[in-house]
């Protein structure tokens, strides 16, 4: 952990002994981190969420809000609202402090030991998809840099750029928790300076005039879906990065630190994206933003895009390895991450060589909320009902225990999840799927409300039956 890279001695899942140190392979997986081995402080999660969200994806999100028909100030309002969603991410991390284990282990309390499996599989698929998005953005930036050096044409430059981007991401994620925290903090120092310069160079030229026509419900709803897709995509992973914190760590401080970190970076870059979209064609967002910058800054800009994509991909790839253990892969975390890396590589190849990336990105972000919003609604509602207290033995029991429910399935959690998924699917407006209720709603995309629907259904079904764990 940051500031304590050489401190904690950990015990691996197979009984071997290792250390949670920088550039040493972490041996802990989803097994609970013992109290004696926990270390760090709430400020560590600030750097994690601040650094991992210094990614060009948020520039694209801000640009898309303008592309939907919003003015600069309207897009800025949407971006700020989206940044506030990191409060939920910070709160979701509290379960890691309390249990010492990963988010998708804690979610067994909401869905049941077996019922958690299909939701966990969906979350793994979508998290890999988001890793692909960031990998492709970084690859395109590195390819543009190679073109500036005089190497362009054919598939070779793009293939090399992809290999380098994947290698940087995989190496850090493979080493594990301490290295992830270390890399996110130190890369944040560099990226923050660089992206601050980007904001200073792009923001003054923003066209702040009102649009020719007032945006309708469809424009607003699509902008919110795209902007909130980023924060919501993190809901299955916050505890992965708080599970090493001591139990005595202030829960309020953890929530504030995580929320502030994610808010600052996502809002700053989202606003920059909105400003850029009022000045240039952002269909190819990297090329569009690069064209607004002075020549001397353009190579640095491409390096920022690459670095930001790597910092974001690191945490999603790391969490995906824990996710695979939750799904029952009988491998260590370090071995399981090879599966996620391989799938990411295949997905990135498809996005780069077989499809139009901009269309694919928009379609992906539009569909993302269908999964994460309802799942997050159930998980957060369950956490509130339990007051963030859990039976650790029950969370890890293969059969029986407090969260076995009906043969391993929790009817309340799964019913609520299904209700949210159905609502989100019916009201989703994306390139790949348009729900039957979109037209009657005037083109509005209400996918986000799937979280509220699932949370409400869960509270109605589980209240009085789901209670805080009493040791």
């Amino acid at each position: 952990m940051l500031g304590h890279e050489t401190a904690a001695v950990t015990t691996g899942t197979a009984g071997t002994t290792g250390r949670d140190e920088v550039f040493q392979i972490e041996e802990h997986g989803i097994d609970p981190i013992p109290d004696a081995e926990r270390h760090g402080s709430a400020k560590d999660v600030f750097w994690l969420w601040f650094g991992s969200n210094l990614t060009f994806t948020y520039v694209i999100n801000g640009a898309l809000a303008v592309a939907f028909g919003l003015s600069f100030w309207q897009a800025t309002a949407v971006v700020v609202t989206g940044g506030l969603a990191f409060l939920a991410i910070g709160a979701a991390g509290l379960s890691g402090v309390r249990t010492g284990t990963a988010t998708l282990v804690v979610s067994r309390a909401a869905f049941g030991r077996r019922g958690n499996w299909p939701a966990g599989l969906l979350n793994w698929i979508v998290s890999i998809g988001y890793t692909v998005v960031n990998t492709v953005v970084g690859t395109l930036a590195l390819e543009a840099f190679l073109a500036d050096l005089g190497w362009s044409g054919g598939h070779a430059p793009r293939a090399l750029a992809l290999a380098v981007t994947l290698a940087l991401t995989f190496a850090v994620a493979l080493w594990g928790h301490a290295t992830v925290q270390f890399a996110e903090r130190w890369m944040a120092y560099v990226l923050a300076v660089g992206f601050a310069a980007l904001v200073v160079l792009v923001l003054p030229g923003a066209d702040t005039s009102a649009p020719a026509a007032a945006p309708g419900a469809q424009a607003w709803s699509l902008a919110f879906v795209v902007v909130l897709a980023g924060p919501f995509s993190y809901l299955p992973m916050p505890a992965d990065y708080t599970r090493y914190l001591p139990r005595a760590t202030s829960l309020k401080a953890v929530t504030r630190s995580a929320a502030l970190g994610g808010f600052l970076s996502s809002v700053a870059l989202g606003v920059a994206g909105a400003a850029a979209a009022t000045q240039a064609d952002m269909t190819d967002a990297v090329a569009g933003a690069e064209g607004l910058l002075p020549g001397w800054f353009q190579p640095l800009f491409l390096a920022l895009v690459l670095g930001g994509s790597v910092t974001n991909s690191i945490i999603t790839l790391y969490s995906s390895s824990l996710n695979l253990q939750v799904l029952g892969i009988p491998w260590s975390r370090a071995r399981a991450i090879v599966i996620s890396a391989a799938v990411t590589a295949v997905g990135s190849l498809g996005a780069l060589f077989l499809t139009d990336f901009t269309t694919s990105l928009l379609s992906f972000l539009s569909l993302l909320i269908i999964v994460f919003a309802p799942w997050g609604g159930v998980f957060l509602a369950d956490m509130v009902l339990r007051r963030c207290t859990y039976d650790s033995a029950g969370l890890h029991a293969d059969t029986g225990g407090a969260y076995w429910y009906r043969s391993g399935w929790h009817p309340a959690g799964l019913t609520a999840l299904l209700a949210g998924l159905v609502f989100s699917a019916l009201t989703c407006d994306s390139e790949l799927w348009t729900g039957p209720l979109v037209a009657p709603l005037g083109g509005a995309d209400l996918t986000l409300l799937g979280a509220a629907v699932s949370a409400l259904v869960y509270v109605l079904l589980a209240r009085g039956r789901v209670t805080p764990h009493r040791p």
Side-chain angles (χ1 to χ4, degrees):
M1 202 93 174
L2 299 178
H4 298 76
E5 291 87 356
T6 60
V9 176
T10 62
T11 301
T13 55
T16 58
T17 299
R19 301 177 70 86
D20 184 38
E21 293 183 352
V22 176
F23 307 131
Q24 297 292 324
I25 293 181
E26 175 196 8
E27 295 182 10
H28 269 304
I30 61 173
D31 53 309
I33 308 300
D35 289 345
E37 299 171 10
R38 298 201 192 182
H39 49 91
S41 65
K43 67 181 180 181
D44 297 340
V45 294
F46 168 85
W47 290 110
L48 176 88
W49 293 111
F50 179 69
S52 63
N53 285 285
L54 287 170
T55 172
F56 192 73
T57 302
Y58 288 105
V59 175
I60 298 176
N61 292 347
L64 285 173
V66 172
F68 292 140
L70 272 59
S71 70
F72 169 76
W73 291 115
Q74 291 167 338
T76 295
V78 172
V79 166
V80 171
T81 303
L84 293 174
F86 278 97
L87 284 167
I89 305 305
L94 303 184
S95 59
V97 180
R98 287 285 178 84
T99 64
T101 192
T103 306
L104 284 170
V105 174
V106 180
S107 65
R108 290 170 175 170
F111 301 104
R113 184 65 172 80
R114 290 174 174 168
N116 190 59
W117 198 93
L121 177 61
L122 286 174
N123 281 318
W124 179 78
I125 292 172
V126 180
S127 67
I128 289 297
Y130 218 86
T131 307
V132 169
V133 168
N134 283 289
T135 299
V136 169
V137 171
T139 298
L140 293 176
L142 184 53
E143 181 186 26
F145 180 78
L146 294 175
D148 290 342
L149 295 178
W151 187 19
S152 61
H155 294 317
R158 179 169 291 188
L160 176 63
L162 174 60
V164 171
T165 304
L166 287 171
L168 291 173
T169 303
F170 176 72
V172 175
L174 175 66
W175 273 315
H177 175 265
T179 308
V180 169
Q181 295 275 28
F182 177 83
E184 294 292 348
R185 181 168 191 166
W186 285 98
M187 291 181 74
Y189 293 156
V190 177
L191 292 174
V193 174
F195 276 119
L198 172 69
V199 173
V200 169
L201 291 170
V202 171
L203 197 57
D207 180 1
T208 58
S209 61
Q218 184 179 32
W220 282 101
S221 61
L222 287 175
F224 273 112
V225 167
V226 168
V227 169
L228 285 165
F232 270 79
S233 71
Y234 294 127
L235 278 172
M237 63 179 72
D240 303 0
Y241 303 101
T242 59
R243 73 194 204 280
Y244 277 89
L245 294 177
R247 289 182 190 271
T249 305
S250 167
L251 300 186
K252 290 183 179 179
V254 170
T255 302
R256 287 195 303 265
S257 295
L260 183 61
F263 178 86
L264 289 176
S265 48
S266 65
V267 169
L269 297 184
V271 171
T278 66
Q279 306 170 63
D281 180 4
M282 294 289 283
T283 303
D284 182 339
V286 173
E290 185 180 16
L292 296 174
L293 302 171
W296 62 267
F297 190 77
Q298 290 178 4
L300 296 176
F301 164 72
L302 295 175
L304 289 173
V305 176
L306 173 61
S309 70
V310 170
T311 61
N312 196 266
S313 294
I314 285 170
I315 66 167
T316 53
L317 189 61
Y318 173 81
S319 288
S320 72
S321 64
L322 298 177
N323 195 339
L324 286 174
Q325 287 191 315
V326 173
L327 294 176
I329 299 296
W331 289 358
S332 68
R333 181 206 60 81
R335 292 181 64 192
I337 204 171
V338 176
I339 297 176
S340 294
V343 175
T344 297
V346 172
S348 300
L349 285 169
L352 286 164
F353 294 102
L354 301 178
T355 64
D356 176 75
F357 177 62
T358 302
T359 301
S360 300
L361 174 66
L362 178 58
S363 301
F364 175 73
L365 292 177
S366 298
L367 288 176
L368 190 66
I369 301 297
I370 291 180
V371 176
F372 281 123
W375 186 92
V378 176
F379 177 77
L380 293 174
D382 180 78
M383 191 175 74
V384 171
L385 290 178
R386 298 181 192 279
R387 298 178 186 174
C388 202
T389 58
Y390 301 90
D391 179 352
S392 182
L395 289 174
H396 293 274
D398 290 332
T399 59
Y403 310 118
W404 188 243
Y405 303 112
R406 295 184 183 178
S407 300
W409 304 81
H410 189 198
L414 295 172
T415 301
L417 176 63
L418 180 61
L421 286 171
V422 169
F423 179 88
S424 294
L426 291 174
T427 59
C428 175
D429 182 17
S430 75
E431 294 289 333
L432 299 179
W433 168 258
T434 299
L437 295 183
V438 172
L441 291 170
D445 185 331
L446 303 182
T447 316
L448 292 169
L449 293 181
V453 170
S454 62
L456 177 61
V457 172
Y458 186 75
V459 170
L460 292 175
L461 295 177
R463 190 171 186 177
R465 300 180 182 181
V466 168
T467 57
H469 172 65
R470 305 296 182 187

